[in-house]
Amino acid sequence: MDNRSIGFFDSGLGGLTCIPYLTAALPEERIIYFGDTARTPYGSKATSTIRNFSMQIADFLVQNDVKMIVIACNTVSSICLEDLQFRFPEIPVVGIIAPAAEKVAASCGNENRVGIIGTKVTIRSEAYNRLIRELKPELEVYSEPCPAFVPLIEEGIIRNDIMDMTIRYYLDDFVLENRLDTLVLGCTHYPLIRDRIERFYPDLRIINPSEEIICSIQQILTERSMLAIHSERENIFYASDLSENFMNMIETIFSSQEMKVQFKNLDIENTRK
Ligand code: DGL
C-alpha cells in the first residue's frame, strides 16, 4: 500500500482528460496535477526546450513526494520518456504512447487503416509509428500534425465554427485520401474535441490514449503493491498560469464527480532548486 499521490503533468489542461478514467478505475488514488499553462503549447517548440520544461516539472512533482510520474502529454512522452526514467530511477515514470500503441496493435487487423494525429513534435518523432511497427509490422499507419488544435482548446474555442473548420482543414483529406477507419487522438487535448470529430467522421473508430494509459498505471501500481487505500489526501491542481480556462475545464471535466480539489498557481521557473 502507498497512499502518496500520483503526479500527472502536461503542457496545459490536456492531461486532465486522463483523470476521469483514473478515478473511475482507481477511486482510492489521489493526484497532484501540473499544467504548464504559462508556456503551452509545447508541440511546436524545440526538443531541448520541452526537455528542460519537463525536467523542471518532474523535479517539482518529486519534491512533492509523488509515488509515480505520469506523463499525460504525448509530446513529452515522444521525446523525453527515457530521460525522465533515467533521472528518477526510484519511482515509476509512465509515458502515454506505449499503452495506446499496444491498444492499436491488439485491436487492429492488418486490413485496418490507422491514422495518428498529434502535435508537430509528436508526429515528427514517429514514436507511435515505431512502436506500432514493432508490434504489428504489416499494419498501415498514417500520421498528420494538427498544431492549431491545442491553442484553440486552451482558449476554450471548442464548440463552435472555428473549431469545426479547423477539424475539417486538418482531417478531411487525411481521413478520405488514406481511407482511414481508425483514428488515434495522439494528444491529450484532443479528447476535448472528440465529439466534434465524430460528428464529421462518424464511421471512424477512435482510440483515446488518455483512457489507455490507465491500464498501465493500474498494472504498475498493482505489481509493486503501491495501490492507495483510504487516502486522506486531496487532489491538487497546479498551473503555471492559473487561468479561468484551466479552472473552468476542471469544473467541466469533473462536473459529474465528487472531487475535493485545490487550485494553486505556481511559478515553476522560480521553484527549481
Ligand atoms: N497535451 C499535449 C500532448 O499530448 C499537448 C502538447 C502541446 O502543448 O502542444 O501532446
Side-chain angles (χ1 to χ4, degrees), residues 8 15-24 31 33 237 254 257 259:
F8 278 76
L16 295 170
T17 58
C18 303
I19 308 302
Y21 297 108
L22 178 90
T23 53
I31 59 162
Y33 183 93
F237 294 89
F254 301 133
Q257 304 191 357
M259 282 265 265

Side-chain angles (χ1 to χ4, degrees), residues 10-237:
D10 179 45
S11 65
L13 50 80
L16 295 170
T17 58
C18 303
I19 308 302
Y21 297 108
L22 178 90
T23 53
L26 300 170
E28 299 285 325
E29 299 299 331
R30 296 294 173 266
I31 59 162
I32 297 179
Y33 183 93
F34 188 92
D36 200 1
T37 45
R39 303 188 292 198
T40 196
Y42 281 10
S44 303
K45 290 189 167 63
T47 52
S48 54
T49 306
I50 299 168
R51 195 166 283 124
N52 185 25
F53 291 172
S54 303
M55 295 297 165
Q56 288 176 358
I57 298 168
D59 282 352
F60 167 76
L61 291 172
V62 170
Q63 282 158 25
N64 279 270
D65 197 28
V66 294
K67 63 180 171 185
M68 169 188 254
I69 293 178
V70 178
I71 309 174
C73 177
N74 291 262
T75 306
V76 174
S77 299
S78 74
I79 55 169
C80 18
L81 173 63
E82 285 83 11
D83 297 331
L84 289 165
Q85 286 172 331
F86 183 75
R87 189 175 178 98
F88 305 106
E90 68 286 358
I91 57 167
V93 179
V94 185
I96 197 164
I97 293 184
E102 281 160 21
K103 174 73 176 186
V104 171
S107 63
C108 293
N110 288 340
E111 71 288 358
N112 286 113
R113 302 180 69 87
V114 180
I116 317 280
I117 53 173
T119 65
K120 281 187 190 163
V121 168
T122 301
I123 299 303
R124 206 183 303 131
S125 76
E126 299 206 340
Y128 272 103
N129 311 54
R130 237 190 350 263
L131 285 170
I132 295 170
R133 207 177 304 128
E134 276 169 24
L135 298 165
K136 206 146 195 142
E138 307 290 315
L139 189 65
E140 298 275 5
V141 177
Y142 303 86
S143 45
E144 181 71 18
C146 305
F149 284 158
V150 170
L152 289 177
I153 294 168
E154 287 284 334
E155 272 307 316
I157 300 173
I158 293 177
R159 283 190 178 73
N160 61 33
D161 294 347
I162 300 174
M163 180 52 85
D164 288 350
M165 277 165 48
T166 312
I167 290 171
R168 302 206 63 175
Y169 169 74
Y170 284 130
L171 299 189
D172 268 2
D173 290 349
F174 179 56
V175 171
L176 294 179
E177 284 172 11
N178 297 310
R179 291 179 287 114
L180 301 181
D181 53 43
T182 304
L183 186 70
V184 179
L185 304 181
C187 168
T188 51
H189 284 70
Y190 299 173
L192 295 166
I193 53 167
R194 177 180 179 153
D195 58 337
R196 309 301 286 186
I197 294 174
E198 284 174 327
R199 276 180 35 184
F200 294 116
Y201 319 102
D203 297 331
L204 272 183
R205 185 170 73 102
I206 304 278
I207 292 182
N208 179 4
S210 300
E211 181 176 359
E212 301 310 325
I213 195 173
I214 306 305
C215 277
S216 298
I217 297 171
Q218 188 162 16
Q219 193 184 341
I220 294 168
L221 292 178
T222 306
E223 278 168 9
R224 302 189 185 200
S225 305
M226 288 171 73
L227 288 163
I229 301 173
H230 304 313
S231 176
E232 297 285 308
R233 291 171 192 242
E234 277 189 317
N235 295 299
I236 306 178
F237 294 89

